């Protein structure tokens, strides 16, 4: 195959020696993606416990040998799904930091999480993984790692704002952080956009709520209990 | 058996004719309760899909014939579990109405729900039923009925407060109600007391949040955007 043509048409480069490696890695990524999509469908349909590796193979149209080459267990598949979520979270945090105030940033992060969960149709998968984490130590570890990473980012972001006097939350971080994260999870899990909640109205309500919880000291907010 | 003795020792009254009926109904209640407790343990351990009626029979130490006499399916068991929850909710709402202000009432209901879920060790069961509701129309119907009943009570409570000018939420009920309920679910599901969150601190934070969302007009609150 002519490399020029394959490049122009966005095809995988198979012939040249350096192209072989890139093609192998691309094919591997595609296969992994195929397993992840198949597993998500099976977990949603049958539950984590109910879905067998056989069912995932059938859904992915892949032999057990091929599937086990990528993932030794369902737990390893969930880890890869959560790893992808961590990358989404990281891009959400970059967006959060771009906001002019910490209230705007927290509202942005909440709306982003709610919208992303809705648009990627993740509600049912998310509920299933969460529920499985309560009986499965391996899944619990994966979930805890994600939660603790999100908690660390929020902690850095909010404590910097407290230090520079931008906000004055009425309670310490040991109460504030788990509560904010529990609220975010509840809103995503309930798929508010899917239930017809208008996102502009939700933004107004979230801002009022976040202002209440963080007590910003800047002039553009109406709430200050001092 | 002498009725006086059985009464004194709190035993079921078996002998007299009127006692037979009460004893039968008591025994039925006990058997139903035994199935419900066994089913909860199985759903938490194996998931709704993973738990079989056989597993529930074994856990309840009951024959399949006896179990099917009370419940024709796992869905019917979940309905009975949720029915008991509806009774808990109703008692929570009675407590809510006793509060001096609507902000106090909503904070009371949230704390009650979080504490009750924690104390009755319901987090994992709750997560499992919620997750199953996303693929099982019968369970979804049961959950939706519970959610809509809670929504109706909150709607009555909050709209009366709006009408008498006690609160002035920044958005309509079509946004406010599902958001409040999603927040309550997220906090209960995360078992905040189980994760070491102090309930007195949580109450302070919830009050600040609820004040932000409901905008009470009374003198004892610090937040008013008008």
């Amino acid at each position: 195959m002519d490399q020029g043509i394959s490049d122009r048409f966005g095809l995988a480069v198979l012939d040249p020696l350096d192209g072989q490696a890139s093609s192998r890695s691309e094919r591997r990524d595609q296969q992994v993606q195929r397993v992840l999509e198949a597993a998500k469908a099976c977990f949603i349909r049958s539950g984590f416990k109910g879905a067998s590796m056989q069912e995932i193979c059938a859904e992915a149209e892949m032999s057990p040998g091929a599937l086990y080459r990528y993932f030794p267990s369902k737990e390893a598949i969930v880890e890869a799904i959560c790893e992808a979520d961590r990358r989404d979270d990281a891009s959400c945090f970059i967006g959060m930091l771009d906001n002019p105030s910490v209230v705007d940033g927290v509202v942005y992060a909440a709306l982003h999480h709610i919208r992303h969960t809705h648009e990627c149709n993740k509600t049912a998968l998310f509920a299933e993984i969460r529920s499985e984490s309560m009986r499965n130590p391996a899944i619990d570890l994966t979930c805890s790692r994600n939660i603790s990473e999100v908690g660390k980012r929020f902690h850095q972001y909010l404590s910097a704002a407290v230090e520079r006097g931008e906000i004055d939350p009425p309670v310490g971080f040991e109460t504030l952080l788990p509560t904010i994260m529990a609220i975010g999870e509840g809103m995503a899990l309930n798929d508010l956009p899917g239930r017809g909640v208008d996102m502009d109205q939700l933004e107004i309500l979230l801002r009022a709520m976040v202002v209440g919880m963080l007590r910003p000291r800047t002039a553009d907010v109406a709430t200050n209990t001092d």
Side-chain angles (χ1 to χ4, degrees), chain A residues 33-222:
Chain A
Q33 206 45 45
R34 207 163 118 193
V35 175
L36 295 185
E37 292 309 316
K40 285 179 195 176
C42 294
F43 293 156
I44 291 172
R45 186 170 58 223
S46 310
F48 178 89
K49 266 229 161 12
S52 62
M53 286 295 256
Q54 288 72 16
E55 185 183 340
I56 297 169
C57 287
E59 180 79 25
E61 298 180 354
M62 206 177 262
S63 72
L67 188 140
Y68 279 98
R69 198 181 313 145
Y70 301 113
F71 297 105
S73 65
K74 290 190 285 180
E75 281 77 4
I77 297 177
V78 170
E79 205 177 314
I81 291 172
C82 289
E83 177 56 41
D85 254 359
R86 270 207 289 273
R87 284 194 297 271
D88 290 337
D89 288 345
S91 85
C92 173
F93 283 119
I94 290 169
M96 181 173 82
L97 297 174
D98 270 348
N99 279 273
S101 77
V102 79
V103 166
D104 288 322
V106 172
V107 170
Y108 166 91
L111 289 173
H112 182 283
H113 182 51
I114 295 166
R115 205 179 271 124
H116 178 79
T117 307
H118 171 69
E119 282 168 4
C120 301
N121 211 1
K122 281 187 179 173
T123 319
L125 179 70
F126 187 32
E128 180 57 32
I129 292 179
R130 195 68 168 88
S131 151
E132 183 63 21
S133 76
M134 296 187 189
R135 56 178 157 254
N136 185 326
I139 304 289
D140 187 36
L141 190 68
T142 301
C143 288
S144 301
R145 230 172 10 222
N146 269 26
I147 290 170
S148 120
E149 195 161 315
V150 173
K152 224 184 304 174
R153 302 256 199 168
F154 268 117
H155 191 213
Q156 282 169 354
Y157 186 59
L158 296 179
S159 62
V162 168
E163 273 166 39
R164 65 177 179 264
E166 186 182 333
I167 55 170
D168 176 31
V171 296
F173 287 116
E174 70 287 355
T175 306
L176 189 62
L177 287 176
T179 306
I180 285 185
M181 287 166 63
I183 290 173
E185 181 172 1
M187 290 195 296
L189 198 64
N190 272 273
D191 189 16
L192 295 175
R195 290 172 59 195
V197 171
D198 180 275
M199 290 301 274
D200 292 337
Q201 291 294 300
L202 183 60
E203 180 169 355
I204 293 171
L205 184 60
L206 287 186
R207 188 172 302 276
M209 187 180 99
V210 171
V211 163
M213 293 172 95
L214 299 185
R215 298 197 301 190
R217 291 169 171 282
T218 46
D220 65 331
V221 271

